[in-house]
Amino acid sequence: MTTSNTSNNSNAQFNFFKMCIGRPVVVKLNNGVEYRGILEVVDGNMNIVMEQTEEYLNGQLKTKYGDCFLRGNNVLYISAQPRK
């Protein structure tokens, strides 16, 4: 991959995360647990801060949190959701 391609990918990721701030997202971890809530902060290491967070396991609501911090090395994906 060339430097310009790497730069373009980084810009696309930054623009995606910037678009998602303040919006509902689903974050799936490597262990299969999903967190649904409002994205507040994401950094270059994929560390994530969410509000109004709900934890789901196998599609079942397990726990509701206020604020939540997810460590980036556990994140499988982030999916933007439609506003409620």
Side-chain angles (χ1 to χ4, degrees):
M1 185 178 294
T2 66
T3 303
S4 63
N5 285 342
T6 302
S7 178
N8 289 340
N9 288 340
S10 295
N11 286 338
Q13 291 170 355
F14 175 76
N15 289 336
F16 172 74
F17 291 133
K18 186 176 174 183
M19 175 198 73
C20 291
I21 299 294
R23 294 187 54 192
V25 295
V26 173
V27 179
K28 187 165 187 174
L29 302 186
N30 295 327
N31 65 3
V33 176
E34 286 187 354
Y35 291 88
R36 301 175 189 179
I38 308 300
L39 182 66
E40 291 300 313
V41 177
V42 63
D43 69 12
N45 294 317
M46 294 284 290
N47 295 317
I48 296 168
V49 177
M50 297 170 65
E51 292 183 340
Q52 303 172 29
T53 309
E54 299 175 335
E55 179 183 66
Y56 288 81
L57 181 60
N58 298 322
Q60 299 289 319
L61 176 63
K62 294 297 179 185
T63 309
K64 290 186 178 186
Y65 301 101
D67 296 336
C68 177
F69 175 85
L70 302 172
R71 189 170 174 190
N73 66 333
N74 295 314
V75 175
L76 182 62
Y77 68 76
I78 301 173
S79 174
Q81 302 298 299
R83 294 185 192 267
K84 293 181 179 181

